Amino acid sequence: MSTKYLWDKKNIVAAVVLGLGISSSAMADTKIPVVASFSILGDLVSQVGGEHVTVKDLVGINGDVHTYSPAPMDAVAVKDARLVVINGLGLEGWLPRLMESAHFKGVEVVASNGINKLTLAKEQCDHHHHGVYDPHAWNSVTNVKTYVKNIEAGLVKVDPANASDYQHNAQVYLQKLDKLQLDIQQQFANIPASQRVIITSHDAFQYFSRDYDVTFLAPQGTSTDAEASAADVANIINQVRDDHVRAVFIENITDNRMVEQISQETGAKIGGKLYSDALSGPNEPASSYIKLMEHNTATISNALK
């Protein structure tokens, strides 16, 4: 065998190896860039998109989507995204202007499209900036099943080549949500309905209330940028005393001084921290949507027993 043949063979092998390296890099670069308006949606996109997506959350862990102010890099992320996933229902009042200024040309998915919406009472509308619907729809597992289907459809639209993977991932995750739904129902089954009354900082849990028959009272209303009046707080304190409310809860995204005041003046214990509008960090108990719902359910039910 000639030296020239061996040299050529080595070069062919090297070229194949190099080509594979380039191919792997190119494959990595073909991941679908997706922007989610806040961390809970980002987790849902990751569950459905799997290895085919890179997800950027505009409002990150423990962040407050109500009061968020976009940064310049957010416009860059939106401009480069092929898919933007938003909650809708008036939650992200700052986002339309951001998408317009970024000249977004991709596909927008409104995750809440098709859910059974809760309409706010007039006095609630007067105290927040979201519109006529309660936007906190992710606090219902039933609603999140709709979110997942909408996200699946959006990913299939922008990346039909991987449609079967998105459909499979969505079905696997929907089965997990079915189990989560049953677990939540079972945890409240042995607690009398009259006992299921708690206080939170802002009114983010009405969908949870509807699904699991837990009454939530909140002095601040549905948005954290609304201020509770002294009369609102006084009314809550009176109700806690009259109804013998067992627990009040702090939240990961709010100023909790009001809740602490209510606890001190009524003797109702602080039952723990709830994660209402954002995931926690990886070393905290609500680092995914399912973990968030499991933690909130366990924290609430343990305080009511």
Side-chain angles (χ1 to χ4, degrees), residues 122-198:
K122 183 181 184 304
E123 59 270 20
Q124 291 176 297
C125 296
D126 292 341
H127 286 85
H128 78 97
H129 309 294
H130 293 316
V132 298
Y133 298 114
D134 185 337
H136 303 91
W138 57 86
N139 280 312
S140 159
V141 177
T142 298
N143 287 345
V144 167
K145 292 176 186 178
T146 299
Y147 279 36
V148 167
K149 292 172 186 176
N150 288 333
I151 291 167
E152 175 197 341
L155 287 169
V156 168
K157 184 173 182 177
V158 299
D159 184 24
N162 290 306
S164 61
D165 285 350
Y166 299 136
Q167 291 160 356
H168 171 76
N169 293 346
Q171 285 305 309
V172 168
Y173 192 65
L174 287 169
Q175 290 172 4
K176 293 180 180 179
L177 293 178
D178 287 339
K179 181 180 182 302
L180 174 65
Q181 183 96 306
L182 289 174
D183 290 345
I184 294 173
Q185 290 167 347
Q186 288 171 1
Q187 288 201 53
F188 290 117
N190 295 322
I191 301 173
S194 61
Q195 212 170 291
R196 302 180 200 172
V197 183
I198 65 171

Side-chain angles (χ1 to χ4, degrees), residues 98-119:
L98 174 65
M99 294 175 69
E100 182 180 356
S101 64
H103 304 291
F104 174 64
K105 303 296 184 185
V107 172
E108 179 184 9
V109 167
V110 180
S112 64
N113 276 354
I115 68 158
N116 183 11
K117 302 183 288 290
L118 286 175
T119 303

Side-chain angles (χ1 to χ4, degrees), residues 43-264:
D43 178 53
L44 300 180
V45 173
S46 295
Q47 297 295 333
V48 179
E51 64 182 2
H52 300 302
V53 300
T54 56
V55 184
K56 161 70 175 175
D57 302 335
L58 297 180
V59 185
I61 57 174
N62 294 312
D64 187 351
V65 67
H66 298 284
T67 61
Y68 186 69
S69 180
M73 289 306 295
D74 291 337
V76 176
V78 170
K79 180 179 184 297
D80 293 340
R82 291 182 60 190
L83 185 71
V84 168
V85 180
I86 74 170
N87 182 74
L89 303 177
L91 179 69
E92 306 99 335
W94 43 268
L95 189 52
R97 182 177 296 180
L98 174 65
M99 294 175 69
E100 182 180 356
S101 64
H103 304 291
F104 174 64
K105 303 296 184 185
V107 172
E108 179 184 9
V109 167
V110 180
S112 64
N113 276 354
I115 68 158
N116 183 11
K117 302 183 288 290
L118 286 175
T119 303
L120 296 171
K122 183 181 184 304
E123 59 270 20
Q124 291 176 297
C125 296
D126 292 341
H127 286 85
H128 78 97
H129 309 294
H130 293 316
V132 298
Y133 298 114
D134 185 337
H136 303 91
W138 57 86
N139 280 312
S140 159
V141 177
T142 298
N143 287 345
V144 167
K145 292 176 186 178
T146 299
Y147 279 36
V148 167
K149 292 172 186 176
N150 288 333
I151 291 167
E152 175 197 341
L155 287 169
V156 168
K157 184 173 182 177
V158 299
D159 184 24
N162 290 306
S164 61
D165 285 350
Y166 299 136
Q167 291 160 356
H168 171 76
N169 293 346
Q171 285 305 309
V172 168
Y173 192 65
L174 287 169
Q175 290 172 4
K176 293 180 180 179
L177 293 178
D178 287 339
K179 181 180 182 302
L180 174 65
Q181 183 96 306
L182 289 174
D183 290 345
I184 294 173
Q185 290 167 347
Q186 288 171 1
Q187 288 201 53
F188 290 117
N190 295 322
I191 301 173
S194 61
Q195 212 170 291
R196 302 180 200 172
V197 183
I198 65 171
I199 307 293
T200 57
S201 296
H202 90 294
D203 198 5
F205 294 96
Q206 291 309 310
Y207 288 94
F208 194 107
S209 175
R210 180 187 69 186
D211 286 7
Y212 310 114
D213 198 19
V214 178
T215 299
F216 291 81
L217 307 174
Q220 198 171 6
T222 57
S223 176
T224 56
D225 63 357
E227 292 188 13
S229 68
D232 291 333
V233 176
N235 288 336
I236 291 287
I237 289 172
N238 289 334
Q239 189 163 1
V240 170
R241 288 171 174 159
D242 292 344
D243 296 344
H244 307 290
V245 174
R246 289 169 173 257
V248 297
F249 293 87
I250 61 175
E251 295 178 42
N252 65 322
I253 65 160
T254 59
D255 182 340
N256 292 297
R257 286 175 293 182
M258 270 189 307
V259 166
E260 291 164 357
Q261 176 191 347
I262 292 168
S263 175
Q264 289 168 2

Side-chain angles (χ1 to χ4, degrees), residues 6-22:
L6 289 172
W7 187 89
D8 286 343
K9 187 174 181 181
K10 288 177 182 177
N11 276 274
I12 290 168
V13 172
V16 169
V17 172
L18 182 60
L20 288 173
I22 293 171

Side-chain angles (χ1 to χ4, degrees), residues 17-29:
V17 172
L18 182 60
L20 288 173
I22 293 171
S23 176
S24 298
S25 175
M27 286 177 66
D29 290 340

